[in-house]
Amino acid sequence: MPSSTKSPLQIAGYNILPLSLPPLPSLRTATHYLYLAPHQPKLPTSTASRSLFLVNVPFDATEIHIKHLLSAQIGLPAGRIEDVQFEGQSRKGSSADEALSTKHKQDRKSKKRKRGSDGGRLGDVEGVALPSTWDRDLQTNGLTAVVLFVDRASMEAALKAAKAIRKERIEPVWGEGVEGKVPALGSARYLNHHKLTYPNTSQLLESVNNYMTKFAAKEASQVRLAAKQRQEADEDGFITVTRGGRTNPARQEAAQEQAEKQREKQKGLEDFYRFQSREKRKERAGELVRKFEEDKERVRKMKERRGRFRPFRIHEPWVHTQALTLTAKLPKRRLGGTTAMTNNAAEEDQFICCSADTTQNVV
């Protein structure tokens, strides 16, 4: 449908694509503006180069609507779009998860969970959910979406085609050509919702059984992991304390090995902090003082030993006999009617005393 109003081709780096909304009994004509730009997340991903970022997505947009709009309605062949990811929507195992809106990622990360709020419970089991009670999801008006193409060339071709029909002032009709491919809105939507609210017994039982099977498997996996942590030491040589206690003692050798590795890592960090250097200086000064006191005591004992007189005392008969024999052989001279030993004899007598003392010490 040709456009009769003038509007800029771009705004803030986004290409503007006017969409003509289908007429309603209460509203004849209306135009909805969709903004397109190459996807440039703050954290680059492997799929960002072949993704297209959409802003101000209509509230009733579905994956079928977006694929039909960016292929058939702008004059491109179908099958070039791999996936469509709406803001707030998460798909496990989908390649479009890497192309999520950065704003949505930051919003999810900002909702911090209080410490210990889980109470030890397991998280949601992946891949299992109760049957949905709605036949299609509706988006909040003004949200964003990321369209993932099969390659970069397809993304650039879609952006170029959108610019071309904008210059020709052609407004694609939103939802044209997808009638019957998506569930209807209005009263039919709520009638279907009432019907889906009460699923049949077999469908509900199958969903519950799948959930409990995966829940039991996940619980058993966590029990095995806790048991493994109770038996193995971490990189610092510590054993993780978990509920249930240790069934078997942890290997002491492994803990000692980890402790040795940790000491090796910290070998060059003895003087890293100021208090460590201060403690080292104190220990070195104390060691010097201790050695000085030991040396003083050793010198004092040596002085006492040097000035001490040790009189000759004979404890053994054979020493006494040899001393008397040696004394009898010494030359004597008479001085005034007395007998005295020569200087050599006195020296030899002194030698006998020393020899006897040495013999006594040895015995």
Side-chain angles (χ1 to χ4, degrees), residues 162-216:
K163 291 180 182 179
I165 64 171
R166 178 70 183 87
K167 290 180 180 179
E168 296 175 3
R169 299 188 181 280
I170 298 176
E171 293 184 1
V173 179
W174 176 252
E176 186 180 25
V178 298
E179 297 86 352
K181 297 180 180 179
V182 294
L185 298 178
S187 59
R189 169 179 170 83
Y190 292 96
L191 288 174
N192 200 13
H193 169 66
H194 178 74
K195 190 180 299 183
L196 294 174
T197 305
Y198 304 97
N200 56 47
T201 307
S202 60
Q203 185 181 4
L204 187 61
L205 184 61
E206 181 183 0
S207 176
V208 172
N209 288 338
N210 291 337
Y211 182 89
M212 293 307 298
T213 301
K214 292 194 175 184
F215 181 86

CSV table of all heavy atoms in Angstrom, one decimal, residues 162-216:
chain,number,residue,atom,x,y,z
A,162,ALA,N,14.3,-3.5,2.7
A,162,ALA,CA,13.5,-2.6,3.5
A,162,ALA,C,13.7,-1.1,3.2
A,162,ALA,O,12.8,-0.3,3.2
A,162,ALA,CB,13.7,-2.9,5.0
A,163,LYS,N,14.9,-0.8,2.9
A,163,LYS,CA,15.2,0.6,2.5
A,163,LYS,C,14.6,1.0,1.2
A,163,LYS,O,14.1,2.1,1.0
A,163,LYS,CB,16.7,0.8,2.5
A,163,LYS,CG,17.5,0.8,3.8
A,163,LYS,CD,19.0,1.0,3.6
A,163,LYS,CE,19.7,0.9,4.9
A,163,LYS,NZ,21.2,1.1,4.7
A,164,ALA,N,14.6,0.0,0.3
A,164,ALA,CA,14.1,0.2,-1.1
A,164,ALA,C,12.6,0.5,-1.1
A,164,ALA,O,12.1,1.4,-1.7
A,164,ALA,CB,14.5,-1.0,-2.0
A,165,ILE,N,11.8,-0.4,-0.4
A,165,ILE,CA,10.4,-0.2,-0.3
A,165,ILE,C,10.0,1.1,0.5
A,165,ILE,O,9.0,1.7,0.2
A,165,ILE,CB,9.7,-1.4,0.2
A,165,ILE,CG1,10.0,-1.6,1.7
A,165,ILE,CG2,10.0,-2.6,-0.6
A,165,ILE,CD1,9.2,-2.7,2.3
A,166,ARG,N,10.9,1.5,1.4
A,166,ARG,CA,10.7,2.7,2.1
A,166,ARG,C,10.8,3.9,1.2
A,166,ARG,O,10.0,4.9,1.3
A,166,ARG,CB,11.7,2.8,3.3
A,166,ARG,CG,11.5,4.1,4.1
A,166,ARG,CD,10.2,4.1,4.9
A,166,ARG,NE,10.0,5.3,5.6
A,166,ARG,CZ,9.4,6.4,5.1
A,166,ARG,NH1,9.0,6.4,3.9
A,166,ARG,NH2,9.3,7.5,5.8
A,167,LYS,N,11.8,3.9,0.3
A,167,LYS,CA,12.0,5.0,-0.7
A,167,LYS,C,10.9,5.0,-1.6
A,167,LYS,O,10.5,6.1,-2.1
A,167,LYS,CB,13.3,4.8,-1.4
A,167,LYS,CG,14.6,5.1,-0.5
A,167,LYS,CD,15.8,4.9,-1.3
A,167,LYS,CE,17.1,5.1,-0.4
A,167,LYS,NZ,18.3,5.0,-1.1
A,168,GLU,N,10.3,3.9,-2.0
A,168,GLU,CA,9.2,3.8,-2.9
A,168,GLU,C,7.8,4.2,-2.2
A,168,GLU,O,6.8,4.1,-2.8
A,168,GLU,CB,9.1,2.5,-3.5
A,168,GLU,CG,10.3,2.1,-4.4
A,168,GLU,CD,10.2,0.7,-4.9
A,168,GLU,OE1,9.2,0.0,-4.6
A,168,GLU,OE2,11.1,0.2,-5.6
A,169,ARG,N,7.9,4.4,-0.9
A,169,ARG,CA,6.7,4.8,-0.1
A,169,ARG,C,5.7,3.7,-0.1
A,169,ARG,O,4.5,4.0,-0.3
A,169,ARG,CB,6.1,6.1,-0.5
A,169,ARG,CG,7.1,7.3,-0.4
A,169,ARG,CD,6.5,8.6,-0.7
A,169,ARG,NE,7.4,9.7,-0.6
A,169,ARG,CZ,7.8,10.3,0.6
A,169,ARG,NH1,7.3,9.8,1.7
A,169,ARG,NH2,8.7,11.2,0.6
A,170,ILE,N,6.1,2.5,0.0
A,170,ILE,CA,5.2,1.3,0.1
A,170,ILE,C,5.2,0.8,1.5
A,170,ILE,O,6.2,0.6,2.2
A,170,ILE,CB,5.7,0.2,-0.9
A,170,ILE,CG1,5.7,0.6,-2.3
A,170,ILE,CG2,4.8,-1.1,-0.7
A,170,ILE,CD1,6.3,-0.4,-3.3
A,171,GLU,N,3.9,0.7,2.0
A,171,GLU,CA,3.7,0.2,3.4
A,171,GLU,C,3.2,-1.2,3.3
A,171,GLU,O,2.0,-1.4,2.9
A,171,GLU,CB,2.8,1.2,4.1
A,171,GLU,CG,3.3,2.6,4.4
A,171,GLU,CD,2.3,3.4,5.2
A,171,GLU,OE1,1.3,2.8,5.6
A,171,GLU,OE2,2.6,4.6,5.5
A,172,PRO,N,3.9,-2.2,3.7
A,172,PRO,CA,3.4,-3.5,3.8
A,172,PRO,C,2.3,-3.6,4.8
A,172,PRO,O,2.3,-3.0,5.9
A,172,PRO,CB,4.6,-4.4,4.2
A,172,PRO,CG,5.8,-3.5,3.9
A,172,PRO,CD,5.4,-2.1,4.1
A,173,VAL,N,1.3,-4.4,4.5
A,173,VAL,CA,0.2,-4.6,5.4
A,173,VAL,C,0.6,-5.7,6.4
A,173,VAL,O,1.0,-6.8,6.1
A,173,VAL,CB,-1.1,-5.0,4.6
A,173,VAL,CG1,-2.3,-5.3,5.6
A,173,VAL,CG2,-1.5,-4.0,3.6
A,174,TRP,N,0.5,-5.3,7.7
A,174,TRP,CA,0.9,-6.2,8.8
A,174,TRP,C,-0.1,-7.4,8.9
A,174,TRP,O,-1.3,-7.3,9.0
A,174,TRP,CB,0.9,-5.5,10.1
A,174,TRP,CG,1.3,-6.4,11.3
A,174,TRP,CD1,0.4,-6.8,12.2
A,174,TRP,CD2,2.5,-7.0,11.6
A,174,TRP,NE1,1.0,-7.6,13.2
A,174,TRP,CE2,2.4,-7.7,12.8
A,174,TRP,CE3,3.8,-6.9,11.0
A,174,TRP,CZ2,3.4,-8.4,13.4
A,174,TRP,CZ3,4.8,-7.6,11.6
A,174,TRP,CH2,4.6,-8.3,12.8
A,175,GLY,N,0.5,-8.6,8.8
A,175,GLY,CA,-0.3,-9.9,8.9
A,175,GLY,C,-0.9,-10.3,7.6
A,175,GLY,O,-1.6,-11.4,7.6
A,176,GLU,N,-0.7,-9.6,6.5
A,176,GLU,CA,-1.3,-10.1,5.2
A,176,GLU,C,-0.5,-11.3,4.7
A,176,GLU,O,0.7,-11.3,4.6
A,176,GLU,CB,-1.2,-8.9,4.2
A,176,GLU,CG,-1.9,-9.2,2.9
A,176,GLU,CD,-1.7,-8.1,1.9
A,176,GLU,OE1,-0.7,-7.3,2.1
A,176,GLU,OE2,-2.6,-7.9,1.0
A,177,GLY,N,-1.3,-12.3,4.4
A,177,GLY,CA,-0.7,-13.6,3.9
A,177,GLY,C,-0.5,-14.6,4.9
A,177,GLY,O,0.0,-15.7,4.6
A,178,VAL,N,-0.7,-14.4,6.2
A,178,VAL,CA,-0.5,-15.4,7.3
A,178,VAL,C,-1.9,-15.8,7.9
A,178,VAL,O,-1.9,-16.4,8.9
A,178,VAL,CB,0.4,-14.8,8.4
A,178,VAL,CG1,1.8,-14.5,7.8
A,178,VAL,CG2,-0.2,-13.6,9.1
A,179,GLU,N,-2.9,-15.4,7.3
A,179,GLU,CA,-4.2,-15.8,7.8
A,179,GLU,C,-4.4,-17.3,7.8
A,179,GLU,O,-4.0,-18.0,6.8
A,179,GLU,CB,-5.4,-15.2,7.0
A,179,GLU,CG,-5.4,-13.7,7.0
A,179,GLU,CD,-4.5,-13.1,5.9
A,179,GLU,OE1,-3.7,-13.8,5.3
A,179,GLU,OE2,-4.6,-11.8,5.7
A,180,GLY,N,-4.8,-17.9,8.9
A,180,GLY,CA,-4.9,-19.3,9.0
A,180,GLY,C,-3.7,-20.0,9.5
A,180,GLY,O,-3.7,-21.2,9.8
A,181,LYS,N,-2.5,-19.3,9.5
A,181,LYS,CA,-1.3,-19.9,9.9
A,181,LYS,C,-1.0,-19.7,11.4
A,181,LYS,O,-0.2,-20.4,12.0
A,181,LYS,CB,-0.1,-19.4,9.1
A,181,LYS,CG,-0.2,-19.7,7.6
A,181,LYS,CD,1.0,-19.2,6.9
A,181,LYS,CE,0.9,-19.5,5.4
A,181,LYS,NZ,2.1,-18.9,4.6
A,182,VAL,N,-1.7,-18.7,12.0
A,182,VAL,CA,-1.5,-18.4,13.4
A,182,VAL,C,-2.9,-18.4,14.1
A,182,VAL,O,-3.9,-18.1,13.4
A,182,VAL,CB,-0.9,-17.0,13.6
A,182,VAL,CG1,0.6,-17.1,13.1
A,182,VAL,CG2,-1.6,-15.9,12.9
A,183,PRO,N,-3.0,-18.7,15.3
A,183,PRO,CA,-4.3,-18.7,16.0
A,183,PRO,C,-4.9,-17.3,16.0
A,183,PRO,O,-4.2,-16.3,16.0
A,183,PRO,CB,-4.0,-19.2,17.4
A,183,PRO,CG,-2.7,-19.9,17.3
A,183,PRO,CD,-1.9,-19.3,16.2
A,184,ALA,N,-6.3,-17.3,15.9
A,184,ALA,CA,-7.0,-16.0,15.8
A,184,ALA,C,-7.0,-15.4,17.2
A,184,ALA,O,-6.9,-16.0,18.2
A,184,ALA,CB,-8.4,-16.3,15.3
A,185,LEU,N,-7.2,-14.0,17.2
A,185,LEU,CA,-7.3,-13.3,18.4
A,185,LEU,C,-8.8,-13.0,18.7
A,185,LEU,O,-9.7,-13.6,18.0
A,185,LEU,CB,-6.6,-11.9,18.3
A,185,LEU,CG,-5.1,-12.0,18.1
A,185,LEU,CD1,-4.5,-10.6,17.9
A,185,LEU,CD2,-4.4,-12.7,19.2
A,186,GLY,N,-9.1,-12.2,19.6
A,186,GLY,CA,-10.5,-11.9,19.9
A,186,GLY,C,-11.1,-12.9,20.8
A,186,GLY,O,-10.5,-13.6,21.6
A,187,SER,N,-12.4,-13.1,20.6
A,187,SER,CA,-13.2,-14.1,21.5
A,187,SER,C,-12.7,-15.5,21.2
A,187,SER,O,-12.7,-16.4,22.2
A,187,SER,CB,-14.7,-14.0,21.1
A,187,SER,OG,-14.9,-14.3,19.8
A,188,ALA,N,-12.2,-15.9,20.0
A,188,ALA,CA,-11.8,-17.2,19.7
A,188,ALA,C,-10.5,-17.5,20.6
A,188,ALA,O,-10.4,-18.7,21.0
A,188,ALA,CB,-11.4,-17.4,18.3
A,189,ARG,N,-9.7,-16.5,20.9
A,189,ARG,CA,-8.5,-16.8,21.7
A,189,ARG,C,-8.9,-17.2,23.1
A,189,ARG,O,-8.4,-18.1,23.7
A,189,ARG,CB,-7.7,-15.5,21.8
A,189,ARG,CG,-6.6,-15.5,22.8
A,189,ARG,CD,-5.8,-14.2,22.7
A,189,ARG,NE,-4.9,-14.0,23.8
A,189,ARG,CZ,-3.7,-14.6,23.9
A,189,ARG,NH1,-3.2,-15.3,22.9
A,189,ARG,NH2,-2.9,-14.4,24.9
A,190,TYR,N,-9.9,-16.5,23.7
A,190,TYR,CA,-10.3,-16.8,25.1
A,190,TYR,C,-11.1,-18.1,25.2
A,190,TYR,O,-11.1,-18.8,26.2
A,190,TYR,CB,-11.1,-15.6,25.7
A,190,TYR,CG,-10.2,-14.4,25.8
A,190,TYR,CD1,-10.1,-13.4,24.9
A,190,TYR,CD2,-9.4,-14.3,27.0
A,190,TYR,CE1,-9.3,-12.3,25.0
A,190,TYR,CE2,-8.5,-13.2,27.1
A,190,TYR,CZ,-8.5,-12.2,26.1
A,190,TYR,OH,-7.7,-11.1,26.3
A,191,LEU,N,-11.9,-18.4,24.2
A,191,LEU,CA,-12.6,-19.7,24.2
A,191,LEU,C,-11.6,-20.9,24.1
A,191,LEU,O,-11.7,-21.9,24.9
A,191,LEU,CB,-13.5,-19.8,23.0
A,191,LEU,CG,-14.8,-18.9,23.0
A,191,LEU,CD1,-15.5,-19.0,21.7
A,191,LEU,CD2,-15.7,-19.4,24.2
A,192,ASN,N,-10.5,-20.7,23.3
A,192,ASN,CA,-9.5,-21.7,23.3
A,192,ASN,C,-8.7,-21.8,24.6
A,192,ASN,O,-8.3,-22.8,25.0
A,192,ASN,CB,-8.5,-21.4,22.1
A,192,ASN,CG,-7.7,-22.6,21.7
A,192,ASN,OD1,-8.0,-23.7,22.1
A,192,ASN,ND2,-6.7,-22.4,20.9
A,193,HIS,N,-8.5,-20.6,25.2
A,193,HIS,CA,-7.8,-20.6,26.5
A,193,HIS,C,-8.6,-21.4,27.6
A,193,HIS,O,-8.1,-22.1,28.4
A,193,HIS,CB,-7.6,-19.1,27.0
A,193,HIS,CG,-7.1,-19.0,28.4
A,193,HIS,ND1,-5.9,-19.5,28.8
A,193,HIS,CD2,-7.8,-18.5,29.5
A,193,HIS,CE1,-5.8,-19.2,30.1
A,193,HIS,NE2,-6.9,-18.6,30.5
A,194,HIS,N,-9.9,-21.2,27.6
A,194,HIS,CA,-10.7,-21.9,28.6
A,194,HIS,C,-10.7,-23.4,28.3
A,194,HIS,O,-10.7,-24.2,29.3
A,194,HIS,CB,-12.2,-21.4,28.4
A,194,HIS,CG,-13.1,-22.1,29.4
A,194,HIS,ND1,-13.2,-21.9,30.7
A,194,HIS,CD2,-14.1,-23.1,29.1
A,194,HIS,CE1,-14.1,-22.7,31.3
A,194,HIS,NE2,-14.7,-23.4,30.3
A,195,LYS,N,-10.6,-23.8,27.1
A,195,LYS,CA,-10.5,-25.2,26.8
A,195,LYS,C,-9.1,-25.8,27.2
A,195,LYS,O,-9.1,-26.9,27.7
A,195,LYS,CB,-10.7,-25.4,25.3
A,195,LYS,CG,-10.9,-26.9,24.8
A,195,LYS,CD,-11.1,-26.9,23.3
A,195,LYS,CE,-12.4,-26.2,22.9
A,195,LYS,NZ,-12.6,-26.3,21.5
A,196,LEU,N,-8.0,-25.0,27.0
A,196,LEU,CA,-6.7,-25.5,27.3
A,196,LEU,C,-6.4,-25.5,28.8
A,196,LEU,O,-5.5,-26.1,29.3
A,196,LEU,CB,-5.6,-24.7,26.6
A,196,LEU,CG,-5.6,-24.8,25.1
A,196,LEU,CD1,-4.6,-23.8,24.5
A,196,LEU,CD2,-5.3,-26.2,24.7
A,197,THR,N,-7.2,-24.8,29.6
A,197,THR,CA,-7.0,-24.7,31.0
A,197,THR,C,-7.3,-26.1,31.7
A,197,THR,O,-6.8,-26.4,32.7
A,197,THR,CB,-8.0,-23.7,31.6
A,197,THR,OG1,-7.7,-22.4,31.0
A,197,THR,CG2,-7.7,-23.5,33.1
A,198,TYR,N,-8.1,-26.9,31.1
A,198,TYR,CA,-8.5,-28.2,31.6
A,198,TYR,C,-8.0,-29.3,30.6
A,198,TYR,O,-8.8,-29.8,29.8
A,198,TYR,CB,-10.0,-28.3,31.8
A,198,TYR,CG,-10.5,-27.2,32.7
A,198,TYR,CD1,-11.1,-26.1,32.2
A,198,TYR,CD2,-10.4,-27.3,34.1
A,198,TYR,CE1,-11.6,-25.1,33.0
A,198,TYR,CE2,-10.9,-26.3,34.9
A,198,TYR,CZ,-11.5,-25.2,34.3
A,198,TYR,OH,-11.9,-24.2,35.2
A,199,PRO,N,-6.7,-29.6,30.6
A,199,PRO,CA,-6.2,-30.6,29.7
A,199,PRO,C,-6.7,-32.0,30.1
A,199,PRO,O,-7.2,-32.3,31.2
A,199,PRO,CB,-4.7,-30.5,29.8
A,199,PRO,CG,-4.5,-30.0,31.2
A,199,PRO,CD,-5.6,-29.1,31.5
A,200,ASN,N,-6.7,-32.9,29.1
A,200,ASN,CA,-7.2,-34.3,29.4
A,200,ASN,C,-6.2,-35.0,30.4
A,200,ASN,O,-5.0,-34.6,30.5
A,200,ASN,CB,-7.4,-35.1,28.1
A,200,ASN,CG,-6.1,-35.2,27.3
A,200,ASN,OD1,-5.0,-35.4,27.8
A,200,ASN,ND2,-6.2,-34.9,26.0
A,201,THR,N,-6.6,-36.1,31.0
A,201,THR,CA,-5.8,-36.7,32.0
A,201,THR,C,-4.5,-37.3,31.5
A,201,THR,O,-3.5,-37.3,32.1
A,201,THR,CB,-6.7,-37.8,32.7
A,201,THR,OG1,-7.9,-37.3,33.1
A,201,THR,CG2,-6.0,-38.4,33.9
A,202,SER,N,-4.6,-37.9,30.3
A,202,SER,CA,-3.4,-38.6,29.8
A,202,SER,C,-2.3,-37.6,29.5
A,202,SER,O,-1.1,-37.8,29.8
A,202,SER,CB,-3.8,-39.4,28.5
A,202,SER,OG,-4.3,-38.5,27.5
A,203,GLN,N,-2.6,-36.4,28.9
A,203,GLN,CA,-1.7,-35.4,28.6
A,203,GLN,C,-1.0,-34.8,29.9
A,203,GLN,O,0.2,-34.6,30.0
A,203,GLN,CB,-2.3,-34.3,27.8
A,203,GLN,CG,-1.4,-33.2,27.3
A,203,GLN,CD,-2.1,-32.1,26.6
A,203,GLN,OE1,-3.3,-32.1,26.4
A,203,GLN,NE2,-1.3,-31.2,26.0
A,204,LEU,N,-1.9,-34.6,30.9
A,204,LEU,CA,-1.4,-34.1,32.2
A,204,LEU,C,-0.5,-35.1,32.9
A,204,LEU,O,0.6,-34.8,33.4
A,204,LEU,CB,-2.5,-33.7,33.1
A,204,LEU,CG,-2.2,-33.0,34.4
A,204,LEU,CD1,-1.5,-31.7,34.1
A,204,LEU,CD2,-3.4,-32.7,35.2
A,205,LEU,N,-0.9,-36.4,32.9
A,205,LEU,CA,-0.1,-37.4,33.5
A,205,LEU,C,1.3,-37.6,32.8
A,205,LEU,O,2.3,-37.8,33.5
A,205,LEU,CB,-0.8,-38.7,33.5
A,205,LEU,CG,-0.2,-39.9,34.2
A,205,LEU,CD1,0.0,-39.6,35.7
A,205,LEU,CD2,-1.0,-41.2,34.0
A,206,GLU,N,1.3,-37.5,31.5
A,206,GLU,CA,2.6,-37.6,30.8
A,206,GLU,C,3.5,-36.5,31.1
A,206,GLU,O,4.7,-36.7,31.3
A,206,GLU,CB,2.3,-37.6,29.3
A,206,GLU,CG,3.5,-37.7,28.4
A,206,GLU,CD,3.2,-37.7,26.9
A,206,GLU,OE1,2.0,-37.5,26.6
A,206,GLU,OE2,4.1,-37.8,26.1
A,207,SER,N,3.0,-35.3,31.2
A,207,SER,CA,3.8,-34.1,31.6
A,207,SER,C,4.4,-34.3,33.0
A,207,SER,O,5.6,-34.0,33.2
A,207,SER,CB,3.0,-32.8,31.5
A,207,SER,OG,3.7,-31.7,31.9
A,208,VAL,N,3.5,-34.7,33.9
A,208,VAL,CA,4.0,-34.9,35.3
A,208,VAL,C,5.1,-36.0,35.4
A,208,VAL,O,6.1,-35.9,36.1
A,208,VAL,CB,2.8,-35.2,36.3
A,208,VAL,CG1,3.3,-35.6,37.6
A,208,VAL,CG2,1.9,-34.0,36.3
A,209,ASN,N,4.9,-37.1,34.7
A,209,ASN,CA,5.8,-38.2,34.7
A,209,ASN,C,7.2,-37.8,34.1
A,209,ASN,O,8.3,-38.1,34.7
A,209,ASN,CB,5.3,-39.4,33.9
A,209,ASN,CG,4.2,-40.1,34.7
A,209,ASN,OD1,4.1,-40.0,35.9
A,209,ASN,ND2,3.3,-40.8,34.0
A,210,ASN,N,7.2,-37.0,33.1
A,210,ASN,CA,8.4,-36.5,32.5
A,210,ASN,C,9.2,-35.6,33.4
A,210,ASN,O,10.4,-35.7,33.6
A,210,ASN,CB,8.1,-35.8,31.2
A,210,ASN,CG,7.7,-36.7,30.1
A,210,ASN,OD1,7.9,-37.9,30.1
A,210,ASN,ND2,7.0,-36.1,29.1
A,211,TYR,N,8.4,-34.8,34.1
A,211,TYR,CA,9.0,-33.8,35.1
A,211,TYR,C,9.6,-34.6,36.2
A,211,TYR,O,10.8,-34.3,36.6
A,211,TYR,CB,7.9,-32.9,35.6
A,211,TYR,CG,8.5,-31.8,36.6
A,211,TYR,CD1,9.0,-30.6,36.1
A,211,TYR,CD2,8.5,-32.1,37.9
A,211,TYR,CE1,9.6,-29.7,37.0
A,211,TYR,CE2,9.1,-31.2,38.8
A,211,TYR,CZ,9.6,-30.0,38.3
A,211,TYR,OH,10.1,-29.1,39.2
A,212,MET,N,8.9,-35.6,36.8
A,212,MET,CA,9.4,-36.3,38.0
A,212,MET,C,10.7,-37.1,37.6
A,212,MET,O,11.6,-37.3,38.4
A,212,MET,CB,8.3,-37.2,38.6
A,212,MET,CG,7.2,-36.4,39.2
A,212,MET,SD,7.8,-35.2,40.4
A,212,MET,CE,8.5,-36.2,41.6
A,213,THR,N,10.7,-37.7,36.4
A,213,THR,CA,11.8,-38.5,35.9
A,213,THR,C,13.1,-37.6,35.8
A,213,THR,O,14.1,-38.0,36.3
A,213,THR,CB,11.5,-39.1,34.6
A,213,THR,OG1,10.3,-39.9,34.7
A,213,THR,CG2,12.7,-40.0,34.1
A,214,LYS,N,12.9,-36.5,35.2
A,214,LYS,CA,14.1,-35.6,35.1
A,214,LYS,C,14.5,-35.0,36.4
A,214,LYS,O,15.7,-34.8,36.7
A,214,LYS,CB,13.8,-34.5,34.1
A,214,LYS,CG,13.7,-35.0,32.6
A,214,LYS,CD,13.8,-33.9,31.6
A,214,LYS,CE,13.7,-34.5,30.2
A,214,LYS,NZ,13.9,-33.4,29.2
A,215,PHE,N,13.5,-34.8,37.3
A,215,PHE,CA,13.8,-34.2,38.6
A,215,PHE,C,14.6,-35.2,39.4
A,215,PHE,O,15.6,-34.9,40.1
A,215,PHE,CB,12.5,-33.9,39.3
A,215,PHE,CG,12.7,-33.3,40.7
A,215,PHE,CD1,12.9,-31.9,40.9
A,215,PHE,CD2,12.7,-34.1,41.8
A,215,PHE,CE1,13.1,-31.4,42.1
A,215,PHE,CE2,12.9,-33.6,43.1
A,215,PHE,CZ,13.1,-32.2,43.2
A,216,ALA,N,14.2,-36.5,39.4
A,216,ALA,CA,14.9,-37.6,40.1
A,216,ALA,C,16.3,-37.7,39.6
A,216,ALA,O,17.3,-37.9,40.4
A,216,ALA,CB,14.2,-38.9,40.0
